Amino acid sequence: MTRYLVVLFVMVLTAVVLATFSFEDELPPLPDDPQNRGTFYYSDTTGVGSLDPGRTSASIDFRVLKCLYQTLMVYAQGGETLEPGVAESYELSEDGKTYTFQLREDAKWSNGEPVTASDFFFAWRRAMLSETGSDYASLFYLIKGGQAFSYWRAGLLDYSSLELVIEDQEERTAFKAKYPELQAQSNLSADEKWDLTVKHFDQTVGVKVLGEWTLEVTITNPASYFIELCAFPSFSPLPQRVIEQNMLAMLDDGTVRMDPKYWDDPERLVTNGPYMLERNENKRRLVMDQNPHYWDRDRMGNLRIVNVVVPDESLAFALFEDGQLDWIASISSSELRAKIYSIDYYEITKSNPSSDDGTGVINSIDHYPYIHPSPRAGVYYYQFNCRPTLSNGLDNPMADVRVRQALGMCIDRKKIVESVTRNYEPLAYTFVPVGSIPTYNAPVEAGLRFNPAKARELLAEAGYKDGEGFPAITLLINASGTGGGGHEDIALVIKKVWEEELGLPDVGIEAPEFQVYIEQSKRGDFAIRRAGWYGDYRDPTTWLDMLRSKDSNNDAGYNNPEYDGLLKRAAVEADPERRMQILREAETLLLTEAPVVPIYYYKEAMVFDETQIDLRPNAWNNLRLDLVRKKRVD
C-alpha cells in the first residue's frame, strides 16, 4: 500500500537528506534462507543504556534484552499469555511455593554451548549480590532467603553498611543476632569472602540446581505473579564460564565486578535468545542478527533487527514514509502527533478524558492509517525528593509532606493532556493505573485534585506563605529518551502554575540527555523530577514496591515505616482478596504522603503498517519482535 500524509506539515527534508541514512552499511549480507526472511527496522530517539540484564531498568533496554536473551518463560505474541521459553515445562507444589522447571535440552548460547540450570542459578545469584546494584534486586526477594542473602552479603563486604541497609533498628538487631559471626567474617580476605558467599547462598537461598536441566525455585509465600517474573528480562540466564572470564579482578574488599565493556562488545557478548549482538554503535545504530543456535529459529519472522537512533521524530516519520523504517516505537512529540492526526479527526466519547476516574478514551473516525494509539499499563508522574537535605547540602522543603501536597494540587492534569500532550491520555489520580489489575480496586478518591486555594493554605502552614522564603528549585527532566522530548512543555505549564498560584520564585528546568538524567535520578541529585513507570508484571507491587524505603528504584528517598509495614503484611498475606485490600491501604497512604504525584496514564502513539507487520501492541508492552515477519528485499 502506498503511504501518504493526511496532514501537511512544515518539514524541509529532501531526498538527498534521506539518502544519507544507510542502515545497512558495512553489515554482512544475510545468510541464505528458505523462508526468504529479511530485516526489521525500527527507531528510538536514543540508544540503549545498558545490555546487562542484571542491572538495567529502562524500557528501551528491555526491548533489546528480550531479543538477546530468553528467560524460563516468555510472553506469547499479543502479550496476554505465557508460553515456554528455556523452560520446556514446570510443576508447582501443592503449597504454591516450589516451582520445578525442566529446561529444554536444545536451548543453546550463541557460542553453541548448552543453556543449563546452572546458568540461571549463576545469573540470579549475581542479581542478589549487593555490589551488583541491580535495579530490580527486590524482585528476587520473593525467593526464599533472597533478601536476607543480600543483607548478609552487604554486611560481609562492609559490616557497618548494615546501619544503612537495614534501617529498622529492631530488624537490624535481630539480623545481627542471627549472624553473630558476620562482623568477624567481614575481615576475611577477598577470596575467603567469596568462598563463604557461595556456600551461604547454597545453604540459605531457595534456588537449587537439581540436574543439568532441572531448576528448583522456592518462594517465601504463594504469589501467582512469580511465573510472570520468570518472563522478565532481569531473570535472564548468563553463561557462567563466559561471565567469569570477563570479570575484573576481585577488589580487596571482596566485591565482584564485571568489565562494563563486555556488554557492548559483539565479539565477547554471548546470549541465548533469538538474536546475538552484531553491532552496537552508541547513539546511532544497534544491530542484532539471528542466533544460529537458537532452538526456535525456524519460527522467527526475520533474520536481523536494526534499531536506529533518530533523535528527531519528524525525521523518523519521514524515514517511515520513505519506506526505510518499519516501526517507530513511539511518537511522543505533541506537535508531530497533532500533525499526524488532528483532533478534528476524533470524537471524544461520553466517558470524558478529564473525568476523575481517568477512563476517558478517543474514538478514531478518520485518521492517518499507520498511527496506532495504544493504552499502556504505565503512569507519567512527578516525583519529589523526600530526603531531609538536597545534594547541595541545603535543607529540602520537599521533605515536608505539606509542600509536596501543595505542589501536587497545582498540577492541572486536564490542561496537560488536552493542550500540551494533545493525546488525551486518561488522567491519573492513582499510581497503579486504574483497571490494569482486574482484582485490584485502585483508591482513586485518595489522589490529589487540582485545588490551588487549598494548596496555598498548605504552603502557608509549612512556613512559605505566598511563596515567601521558598528556595529556588529546579525540575529535572530528560531531553530525549523514554517519553521523548515533550517533557519541557509539561514542565513549563506546571512551573507557571507554581509561580503564579503559589508565589514560588523562578523554577528552573534542567534537561540533560537521557543517561545523565538516569544517573542523576539514581544519585538523588534533584529536587523534583519527571518520571514514568510501566508495569513489569500483573500485580500492584510492580508500582508500589518501588517506593519501599530500601528499594533500589526508590529514587525519591521516600521512607515511611508504616508504608513499608503494609507492603510486608501484603507479602505474607495468603488470602488474595485481603492482600489486595492491604495494598490498597498502602497506595492510599502513598497518594496522601505524595512522594509521587501521578499525572496521566500512558497512551503511546506507535507508527507502523499493520498490513505489513504483525506487531500486536498491548498494554503491557510484551512485544515479540522475533516473530515480526519481514520479507527479504534484494
Side-chain angles (χ1 to χ4, degrees):
M1 181 183 294
T2 303
R3 290 175 173 160
Y4 60 95
L5 290 175
V6 172
V7 290
L8 296 177
F9 46 90
V10 179
M11 186 165 49
V12 182
L13 289 169
T14 66
V16 173
V17 173
L18 293 176
T20 63
F21 284 80
S22 177
F23 303 145
E24 285 285 357
D25 62 300
E26 300 178 359
L27 292 180
L30 292 174
D32 293 335
D33 179 55
Q35 298 186 47
N36 198 35
R37 292 171 294 183
T39 303
F40 175 63
Y41 300 91
Y42 78 93
S43 70
D44 276 317
T45 56
T46 189
V48 298
S50 172
L51 293 180
D52 180 349
R55 289 178 57 86
T56 188
S57 61
S59 58
I60 290 176
D61 299 351
F62 283 157
R63 185 180 295 138
V64 174
L65 288 173
K66 289 177 182 179
C67 295
L68 294 174
Y69 292 91
Q70 187 170 78
T71 43
L72 291 169
M73 305 296 292
V74 296
Y75 279 96
Q77 197 169 18
E80 293 302 319
T81 59
L82 290 170
E83 65 182 31
V86 177
E88 201 166 35
S89 63
Y90 72 90
E91 294 180 356
L92 179 59
S93 61
E94 289 187 7
D95 64 3
K97 294 182 180 181
T98 300
Y99 293 77
T100 304
F101 296 94
Q102 191 63 41
L103 278 55
R104 59 181 73 253
E105 297 183 16
D106 55 349
K108 298 287 195 301
W109 292 100
S110 53
N111 62 3
E113 296 181 0
V115 180
T116 68
S118 294
D119 294 322
F120 284 92
F121 178 93
F122 173 81
W124 294 10
R125 184 181 65 191
R126 174 178 178 261
M128 290 183 239
L129 294 175
S130 58
E131 68 266 34
T132 298
S134 172
D135 284 346
Y136 280 105
S138 60
L139 293 184
F140 291 89
Y141 294 170
L142 184 59
I143 296 174
K144 181 181 177 181
Q147 183 176 47
F149 171 77
S150 291
Y151 288 171
W152 179 90
R153 174 66 176 173
L156 180 68
L157 297 178
D158 179 4
Y159 191 75
S160 64
S161 71
L162 291 177
E163 305 300 315
L164 298 174
V165 173
I166 310 176
E167 190 162 287
D168 182 83
Q169 183 174 349
E170 185 176 340
E171 182 182 357
R172 185 171 62 249
T173 300
F175 184 84
K176 289 181 176 180
K178 184 176 181 180
Y179 300 105
E181 71 285 358
L182 186 58
Q183 184 170 16
Q185 291 170 339
S186 66
N187 295 317
L188 295 173
S189 69
D191 288 338
E192 289 173 324
K193 286 182 180 180
W194 179 246
D195 291 341
L196 192 60
T197 296
V198 170
K199 181 179 179 180
H200 187 76
F201 187 90
D202 289 345
Q203 293 175 342
T204 64
V205 180
V207 184
K208 309 295 180 185
V209 175
L210 302 185
E212 191 168 7
W213 288 286
T214 306
L215 182 74
E216 181 186 88
V217 184
T218 302
I219 57 179
T220 54
N221 294 282
S224 59
Y225 64 88
F226 175 73
I227 197 64
E228 288 197 55
L229 294 182
C230 292
F232 190 58
S234 297
F235 285 73
S236 298
L238 291 173
Q240 180 173 354
R241 184 185 62 80
V242 176
I243 295 297
E244 289 177 343
Q245 287 176 347
N246 287 278
M247 289 281 189
L248 295 176
M250 188 178 293
L251 304 183
D252 290 341
D253 63 358
T255 57
V256 177
R257 303 287 182 182
M258 276 289 299
D259 178 359
K261 295 180 181 179
Y262 164 79
W263 306 104
D264 298 320
D265 187 350
E267 297 297 322
R268 289 194 286 168
L269 185 66
V270 175
T271 59
N272 75 313
Y275 302 92
M276 57 186 185
L277 187 65
E278 168 62 32
R279 302 286 168 86
N280 187 5
E281 301 161 354
N282 190 31
K283 300 184 184 300
R284 179 173 178 263
R285 179 183 65 172
L286 183 142
V287 182
M288 296 177 285
D289 279 355
Q290 185 188 60
N291 172 4
H293 302 288
Y294 176 52
W295 67 272
D296 202 17
R297 58 191 178 277
D298 290 342
R299 187 179 168 213
M300 293 172 65
N302 60 78
L303 300 185
R304 174 175 289 165
I305 291 180
V306 178
N307 172 207
V308 187
V309 180
V310 187
D312 185 334
E313 291 184 340
S314 293
L315 177 56
F317 189 77
L319 292 167
F320 173 80
E321 283 289 300
D322 194 52
Q324 296 193 52
L325 289 174
D326 298 304
W327 173 44
I328 301 176
S330 177
I331 295 288
S332 58
S333 164
S334 58
E335 291 82 4
L336 183 56
R337 275 199 304 256
K339 291 167 183 174
I340 295 176
Y341 59 88
S342 168
I343 194 63
D344 295 337
Y345 291 95
Y346 288 86
E347 174 184 82
I348 302 175
T349 65
K350 292 181 181 179
S351 183
N352 192 296
S354 60
S355 61
D356 282 354
D357 64 2
T359 57
V361 296
I362 297 176
N363 283 343
S364 168
I365 297 177
D366 180 21
H367 66 302
Y368 180 68
Y370 308 121
I371 189 83
H372 301 275
S374 177
R376 291 287 303 278
V379 58
Y380 186 103
Y381 61 98
Y382 266 30
Q383 182 179 78
F384 299 105
N385 189 331
C386 299
R387 301 168 180 85
T389 58
L390 297 172
S391 58
N392 58 12
L394 298 178
D395 289 341
N396 179 15
M398 269 64 68
D400 190 322
V401 63
R402 295 168 297 184
V403 172
R404 300 196 298 268
Q405 291 171 336
L407 296 179
M409 288 179 181
C410 282
I411 294 178
D412 189 346
R413 297 169 177 83
K414 185 174 185 293
K415 183 175 183 179
I416 289 170
V417 304
E418 293 183 359
S419 302
V420 183
T421 70
R422 289 180 278 186
N423 201 33
Y424 284 77
E425 293 90 348
L427 307 189
Y429 293 98
T430 59
F431 199 46
V432 179
V434 172
S436 61
I437 311 295
T439 57
Y440 180 70
N441 180 23
V444 177
E445 73 285 351
L448 300 177
R449 266 48 179 187
F450 184 63
N451 190 341
K454 178 62 175 176
R456 286 190 289 271
E457 292 179 12
L458 288 167
L459 201 64
E461 290 177 15
Y464 303 106
K465 181 176 174 58
D466 298 324
E468 185 175 347
F470 200 90
I473 58 174
T474 299
L475 278 173
L476 177 66
I477 64 175
N478 54 296
S480 62
T482 301
H487 309 305
E488 185 171 5
D489 293 333
I490 295 175
L492 287 170
V493 168
I494 294 174
K495 156 190 165 76
K496 183 178 180 181
V497 178
W498 286 349
E499 292 171 355
E500 293 180 353
E501 295 287 354
L502 299 179
L504 299 192
D506 183 52
V507 177
I509 297 175
E510 183 180 2
E513 63 94 18
F514 186 58
Q515 276 307 118
V516 175
Y517 156 82
I518 290 293
E519 291 165 5
Q520 284 189 231
S521 299
K522 291 298 176 188
R523 294 196 305 267
D525 186 11
F526 65 93
I528 308 169
R529 73 170 188 131
R530 87 92 203 164
W533 193 261
Y534 295 105
D536 298 314
Y537 52 92
R538 290 171 174 82
D539 190 80
T541 55
T542 190
W543 287 279
L544 301 182
D545 272 359
M546 65 181 296
L547 272 301
R548 190 194 302 269
S549 61
K550 291 303 178 182
D551 192 89
S552 50
N553 284 306
N554 184 6
D555 299 333
Y558 177 61
N559 185 352
N560 185 329
E562 182 181 356
Y563 182 76
D564 287 355
L566 287 168
L567 293 181
K568 287 180 180 179
R569 282 176 54 199
V572 298
E573 177 57 59
D575 180 76
E577 186 175 343
R578 177 56 187 154
R579 178 177 177 273
M580 288 298 178
Q581 180 57 38
I582 296 172
L583 291 175
R584 191 178 196 275
E585 292 175 25
E587 185 174 12
T588 299
L589 178 60
L590 184 73
L591 296 171
T592 303
E593 293 249 304
V596 295
V597 177
I599 298 177
Y600 60 78
Y601 304 130
Y602 278 110
K603 183 176 68 175
E604 290 193 347
M606 296 181 176
V607 177
F608 64 94
D609 183 349
E610 62 185 347
T611 69
Q612 298 297 314
I613 62 171
D614 188 14
L615 193 62
R616 303 192 196 182
N618 55 83
W620 292 85
N621 202 32
N622 292 318
L623 303 178
R624 289 292 300 274
L625 300 188
D626 59 306
L627 300 182
V628 174
R629 179 69 57 174
K630 280 295 297 182
K631 292 183 179 179
R632 189 184 306 241
V633 178
D634 294 326

